[in-house]
Amino acid sequence: MSQKVTFTWAGFRRGMRLSLPLLIGTAPFGVVCGIVAQGVGLSYLETFLMSAFVYAGSAELVAMATWTHPASPLAAGFAAMVVNLRLALMGPVLAPWLDRLRGWRLWGSLFVMVDQNWALSVRAMNEGERDAALLAGMGLPMLAGWIVTSMLGRVLGAGLRPAPGHPIFFAALAVFICMLVTLWRGRRDVLPWAVAGGVALAVSRLLPHTSWYIVAGAIAGSLAGAVRDRMGA
Amino acid sequence: MSLSPATVAAIVAMALATYGCRAGGYLVFTRIRPTPFLRAVLTYIPGGIFMSYVTPALVHGGLPSWVGAAVTVGAMAATRNLAVGIFLGTAATWAVWGLW
């Protein structure tokens, strides 16, 4: 990036405008998280805190898959870390922007970085965009939208009061099934996905009522895929 | 408006772990290039997470869940729209569960 990277209010506003379709796209995911939060017994305040400060839907759903009372900070924190490891590779891609930012502009931009505004920012950056405020401009309305739709789902759950095992909770599965459809890259995914599903099923039997099966399955599956790739099979 | 200390602790742990990935990943991997192997592991993780979440739940959920999963896959493959996939999949599960 030869030209100077900026962080302007104009760029932020442009990001806000770009966030509109993203808001609509992630709204159902937020509602599902809120419904599940009600289902596992999180209060309104707890639901708000989780959506505002964790702000990672997949990690929230995984941690809530087997939420206990009292909650386990170790299990929840570890699950969130494994689910969000992919985010660790996203920041460096935007280094030409982020390296030029300091203080709240840098740390705030990273806080609101999710898959969607990251992908649009990478594209904009590669097309020559120099205003790094685009990322946060998309991210801040998305965070607000995430909190609002999570609370909406929490209210909806409180109104329906679904019993455990009610088919409405299938919505959380549907979210992940949809993501699998989007992620599918063909035959190379068969082995890691099969290993992940098989290990998860076995561990869920061995260690019932914990969320370790998700972490174990994910690690086993991704290692299987990476080892297979390295062997060139 | 209740707050359980353990729940707050769990949320704090999740928030720290998540921000650790967002910010820590940027700090670490702009200085050290991840090896191709680590990069491959990390790119396979999302699919692994979702499969690990879905598989035991489907096995325990029985026929309504399997029908719902099939409808979700079909709807998502056809429309590429998250809302349509969630709505049709959940509706199908609910319908079969009602008849079951």
Side-chain angles (χ1 to χ4, degrees), chain A residues 43 46 53-55 76-77 84 88 98-99 107 110 113-114 166-167 170-171 176 182 185 197 213 217-218 222 225 228-229, chain B residues 2-4 11 13-15 17-19 21-22 25-26 41 44-45 49-50 52-53 55 65 68-69 76 90 93-94 97:
Chain A
S43 69
E46 289 162 349
F53 292 102
V54 181
Y55 184 37
N84 288 319
L98 297 174
D99 286 351
W107 305 116
L110 284 166
M113 181 182 73
V114 294
H166 189 278
F170 182 84
F176 284 156
T182 315
R185 289 170 300 182
Y213 67 95
S222 46
R228 189 264 329 265
D229 288 357
Chain B
S2 64
L3 268 186
S4 127
I11 291 170
M14 291 172 68
T18 304
Y19 194 63
C21 290
R22 286 192 169 113
Y26 163 71
V41 171
Y44 280 120
I45 279 184
I49 300 266
F50 303 147
S52 302
Y53 184 100
T55 310
S65 294
M76 189 63 187
T90 307
T93 308
W94 205 327
W97 178 78

Side-chain angles (χ1 to χ4, degrees), chain A residues 163-181:
Chain A
H166 189 278
I168 196 158
F169 293 117
F170 182 84
L173 279 188
V175 167
F176 284 156
I177 292 169
C178 288
M179 292 183 176
L180 283 168
V181 172

Side-chain angles (χ1 to χ4, degrees), chain A residues 49 76 123 141 184 203-204 221:
Chain A
L49 291 175
R123 201 172 70 190
W184 176 250
V203 175
S204 74

Side-chain angles (χ1 to χ4, degrees), chain B residues 28-42:
Chain B
V28 172
F29 291 132
T30 43
R31 284 158 182 78
I32 310 160
R33 281 176 64 91
T35 64
F37 182 76
L38 179 61
R39 188 169 280 278
V41 171
L42 295 186

